[in-house]
Amino acid sequence: MAGEPDASPLGIVLVTSAIILSAFGATVAAVGPELFLDDSIGVTENDVEREPLGA
């Protein structure tokens, strides 16, 4: 009420960061890890064509 101090700016930043990270984590959990997997898994270096440097 009248004698209570205002919320500290650090607390507001921490709570806001926690909410944003929770929302991101929920999005990743809903979409699934397939979206974030590397497509080159299972491709050996011999299968990848490389161009020599300076050519």
Side-chain angles (χ1 to χ4, degrees), residues 38-45 47-48:
D38 188 9
D39 290 338
S40 65
I41 293 177
V43 177
T44 62
E45 284 191 30
D47 294 340
V48 179

Side-chain angles (χ1 to χ4, degrees), residues 4-22:
E4 292 183 12
D6 292 334
S8 73
L10 180 61
I12 294 171
V13 170
L14 290 176
V15 169
T16 303
S17 299
I19 291 170
I20 291 171
L21 290 175
S22 298

Side-chain angles (χ1 to χ4, degrees), residues 26-43:
T27 302
V28 171
V31 170
E34 299 87 24
L35 183 64
F36 300 99
L37 290 178
D38 188 9
D39 290 338
S40 65
I41 293 177
V43 177

